[in-house]
Amino acid sequence: MSENLAQDFAVTREKLLKVYPTKAARKRAKHMVLNDPDPETMPEIEANVRTIPGIITQRGCTYAGCKGVVVGPIRDIVNITHGPIGCGFYSWLTRRNQTKPIDDNDYNLMNYCFSTDMQEDDIVFGGEKKLRQAVREAYEIFKPKAIGIFSTCPVGLIGDDVHAVAREMKEELGINVFGFSCEGYKGVSQSAGHHIANNQMFKHVIGLDDTVRDSKYKINLLGEYNIGGDAFEIERILEKCGIDLIATFSGNSSYDYFANAHTADLNCIMCHRSINYVADMMEIKYGIPWIKVNFIGAEATAKSLRKIAQYFGDPELKERVEKVIAEEMPEVEKHRADARTRCEGKTVMLFVGGSRAHHYQDLFAELGMRTIAAGYEFAHRDDYEGRRVLPTIKIDADSRNIEELTVEPDPERYRYRKTEAEVAELKAQGFEFRDYEGMMAQMAKGTLVIDDISHYEMEKLIAYHKPDIFCAGIKEKYVIQKMGVPCKQLHSYDYSGPYAGFKGAINFYRDIDRLVNSKIWGYIQAPWEKNPELIATYVK
Ligand code: CFM
């Protein structure tokens, strides 16, 4: 990173803060840091606190994180949104998580929208009766294995007990019914909803089916949601390597996979932010270790596969993984080298979610593109600075609002998958369990990191620094493009993807090459604004 850019960013930071009232500026200042990747001198960033009212944020609500993100992609659970129909709209499939039922007995309910459609009367007199009715009706029509009930804001305000209704209905219908207290206001962002979803899936589903599959290398993939078909590509690669995927949380998944997930021998975490809770709980209860992986980027994919092979320690698996990498890489290299000639040196800004603003930096680096500014919408300090800061994170009232489960080792089913000697041996090889370094360790010194960026800050950042590409979501996309900068949606991938794994990397190189090298951005300004051919003045 050039010294100049670091200085420019220091000036930008001051300018961004200057427009805010004193108190707001003081708060926002803590969310904007000039990066230093050295863990000794890395600055502390404020994250996972309330957005200042009045500021336009990119964040979503707790219900979105629970229903939309974590539980929504499980294809055969009926997910009932208990609330007014406005929230019901978002219970429909608005995220690009894809799924593929395995046969005719398997079914996909994801494209249905289930809502209790609460009316004023229900708000005044209570909505539990209507909810019971909705659960019965959904059961009658779809005969699902399980029904989830998701609370929206008004449900919490009027005090409907969704858990009591779930218990009653479970008894009455003889299927698994569980509730989520994921009222939109429950936390400061969707992040709280992830935690609530993790807790309930852990309590009500994981561990229900003890059937152990007859295979050697059993893993779960946590925090991969099959946006644009990412999970399909990862499944293809894992299968080619002979690694048995018991469950993905929750892309291309079914209820049964979750029920059986505790029989895996390793949990691999893709999106640390949304799912690290359940990995910790499964380690305590069942003795399954977890590691951080990343299948975004061809190099990262190869590295993650090698890490999985190293964990199992079987030379046969290591060999097979190397063979797969050797088979897949030439095609990737060919496309990368070609796109790189046109992309090298270009600059990127990424402001996305709670993990992608980090993961996609690898893919851009493969094209020789430099990430100059990045940030998450709702991640926590550990996603920025690494898990080493966990003990120093202040627990505020908002985080205390979310239940922390007390987990004990299962008296019968706990079995630590590695002996102490094996763990020590792996650690001696530099293998890291339960670790995540965070985004900032990977970003260059002097780059700008902004947490929960506001719409205003984003516009100014683009105006001052004109990156060659800006990655965000649909809310931002057209504002950015009207400024003459291409925007790649990294939530939905626009209509493209997959971007994970080897084939995904090739798709990404192609799409980014087209975007940043399109001539269209030069036409955003009308020709007469650039070169006025006729200049007229008024005659007085
Ligand atoms: Fe994890 Fe996600 Fe993300 Fe996320 Fe999301 Fe998403 Fe995201 Mo949108 S679980 S934190 S809450 S990787 S929906 S698939 S793209 S903001 S960066």
Side-chain angles (χ1 to χ4, degrees):
M1 190 55 47
S2 75
E3 262 309 297
N4 284 347
L5 192 62
Q7 278 167 14
D8 287 354
F9 273 144
V11 174
T12 298
R13 186 177 175 275
E14 292 310 311
K15 281 204 270 189
L16 292 178
L17 291 170
K18 228 161 82 198
V19 296
Y20 290 121
T22 324
K23 212 171 139 196
R26 212 183 308 126
K27 285 188 177 168
R28 284 302 299 152
K30 296 182 194 158
H31 296 260
M32 290 180 206
V33 297
L34 287 178
N35 188 41
D36 184 346
D38 181 348
E40 294 297 311
T41 39
M42 186 183 283
E44 181 179 323
I45 188 163
E46 179 117 287
N48 191 34
V49 296
R50 290 181 192 192
T51 302
I52 301 166
I55 282 185
I56 302 179
T57 169
Q58 296 176 321
R59 286 173 163 179
C61 71
T62 301
Y63 159 73
C66 183
K67 156 68 182 75
V69 175
V70 180
V71 191
I74 308 170
R75 62 175 164 260
D76 49 0
I77 299 182
V78 164
N79 290 321
I80 300 180
T81 296
H82 187 32
I85 201 64
C87 306
F89 175 80
Y90 292 98
S91 74
W92 194 33
L93 190 66
T94 49
R95 184 158 164 258
R96 282 190 75 219
N97 29 240
Q98 305 181 351
T99 205
K100 205 189 278 165
I102 41 173
D103 55 34
D104 289 347
N105 296 324
D106 196 2
Y107 44 95
N108 175 17
L109 301 172
M110 268 160 61
N111 37 14
Y112 289 95
C113 173
F114 301 96
S115 165
T116 51
D117 184 21
M118 285 174 101
Q119 302 291 323
E120 263 174 36
D121 272 6
D122 307 313
I123 302 290
V124 176
F125 300 108
E128 290 180 12
K129 200 169 142 207
K130 201 169 188 189
L131 176 60
R132 264 184 228 110
Q133 200 45 44
V135 174
R136 279 190 202 110
E137 194 182 327
Y139 176 74
E140 284 307 315
I141 301 171
F142 294 98
K143 296 278 177 336
K145 290 172 190 155
I147 296 180
I149 301 164
F150 298 83
S151 308
T152 57
C153 295
V155 170
L157 295 175
I158 65 174
D160 274 1
D161 188 344
V162 297
H163 305 286
V165 173
R167 277 194 302 273
E168 252 175 68
M169 289 294 109
K170 187 174 174 175
E171 185 102 333
E172 182 182 314
L173 304 174
I175 59 160
N176 201 356
V177 185
F178 35 87
F180 297 84
S181 292
C182 56
E183 293 84 354
Y185 60 76
K186 195 83 183 232
V188 302
S189 69
Q190 53 266 67
S191 170
H194 302 150
H195 196 163
I196 293 164
N198 279 229
N199 286 350
Q200 296 302 82
M201 291 308 286
F202 182 74
K203 270 202 276 189
H204 297 283
V205 186
I206 296 168
L208 292 180
D209 173 11
D210 286 329
T211 319
V212 179
R213 280 220 294 250
D214 180 25
S215 57
K216 275 207 241 170
Y217 320 114
K218 288 190 273 291
I219 68 163
N220 295 319
L221 184 59
L222 273 52
E224 161 48 55
Y225 300 95
N226 204 16
I227 308 296
D230 276 351
F232 297 147
E233 165 65 359
I234 300 173
E235 285 168 13
R236 179 188 74 84
I237 297 169
L238 292 175
E239 200 182 322
K240 212 171 159 187
C241 293
I243 297 164
D244 189 14
L245 187 58
I246 302 292
T248 300
F249 292 13
S250 55
N252 193 27
S253 70
S254 108
Y255 172 80
D256 293 342
Y257 304 166
F258 271 78
N260 189 235
H262 64 296
T263 63
D265 293 323
L266 176 67
N267 276 334
C268 301
I269 296 196
M270 271 278 283
C271 169
H272 173 265
R273 180 63 272 136
S274 61
I275 210 112
N276 71 86
Y277 319 94
V278 83
D280 278 334
M281 294 190 283
M282 284 172 84
E283 178 158 16
I284 299 170
K285 184 164 179 184
Y286 301 106
I288 310 171
W290 71 260
I291 57 170
K292 174 79 178 73
V293 294
N294 177 20
F295 287 100
I296 300 297
E299 298 295 339
T301 300
K303 202 171 144 196
S304 298
L305 291 173
R306 289 189 175 114
K307 201 168 169 185
I308 295 169
Q310 191 184 4
Y311 169 83
F312 285 103
D314 188 339
E316 196 187 303
L317 178 62
K318 286 186 185 170
E319 208 177 289
R320 191 149 165 196
V321 160
E322 289 308 326
K323 202 170 142 242
V324 170
I325 297 171
E327 262 170 40
E328 299 278 338
M329 271 303 193
E331 191 63 14
V332 174
E333 289 295 347
K334 196 177 88 195
H335 287 89
R336 167 163 50 192
D338 175 48
R340 198 172 166 129
T341 56
R342 291 176 298 273
C343 296
E344 180 122 48
K346 294 198 185 287
T347 55
V348 190
M349 291 185 180
L350 308 103
F351 289 89
V352 201
S355 85
R356 296 185 170 192
H358 178 196
H359 286 163
Y360 277 81
Q361 293 186 24
D362 282 345
L363 261 177
F364 281 115
E366 288 175 7
L367 286 171
M369 294 172 68
R370 296 182 301 137
T371 300
I372 54 172
Y376 297 122
E377 294 167 40
F378 51 76
H380 301 193
R381 273 186 61 210
D382 43 318
D383 303 291
Y384 286 104
E385 301 167 57
R387 281 178 68 93
R388 65 192 169 82
V389 303
L390 275 177
T392 63
I393 294 181
K394 287 188 288 290
I395 310 289
D396 62 9
D398 289 309
S399 331
R400 232 172 259 133
N401 214 4
I402 314 301
E403 186 187 13
E404 279 288 344
L405 300 184
T406 317
V407 184
E408 302 281 343
D410 188 285
E412 274 115 52
R413 296 180 292 178
Y414 178 90
R415 175 177 58 85
Y416 205 77
R417 303 310 203 259
K418 292 270 167 197
T419 63
E420 265 178 48
E422 284 167 337
V423 170
E425 163 71 23
L426 278 166
K427 282 189 178 159
Q429 294 168 15
F431 190 92
E432 277 160 354
F433 288 96
R434 271 177 241 111
D435 193 41
Y436 176 44
E437 260 200 319
M439 170 203 277
M440 284 160 69
Q442 208 186 341
M443 286 178 70
K445 196 173 159 94
T447 48
L448 184 61
V449 181
I450 304 184
D451 174 66
D452 185 18
I453 196 170
S454 71
H455 202 92
Y456 168 81
E457 291 158 5
M458 180 194 80
E459 277 190 37
K460 290 295 165 196
L461 205 54
I462 296 173
Y464 298 151
H465 297 277
K466 271 277 172 154
D468 292 301
I469 189 166
F470 195 100
C471 299
I474 188 65
K475 298 195 286 293
E476 300 83 33
K477 185 175 178 88
Y478 296 101
V479 174
I480 297 164
Q481 298 202 151
K482 282 176 187 168
M483 295 174 85
V485 172
C487 173
K488 182 72 206 163
Q489 286 193 72
L490 282 190
H491 300 262
S492 68
Y493 305 161
D494 298 301
Y495 298 98
S496 192
Y499 290 146
F502 300 113
K503 293 202 170 145
I506 295 171
N507 290 339
F508 192 78
Y509 304 150
R510 179 201 59 211
D511 289 356
I512 296 304
D513 180 16
R514 284 179 183 167
L515 260 179
V516 298
N517 291 305
S518 167
K519 290 202 175 60
I520 202 155
W521 312 113
Y523 298 125
I524 296 285
Q525 212 182 358
W528 59 86
E529 285 174 322
K530 278 191 257 174
N531 293 312
E533 281 162 17
L534 282 174
I535 296 174
T537 50
Y538 289 106
V539 180
K540 283 185 190 160

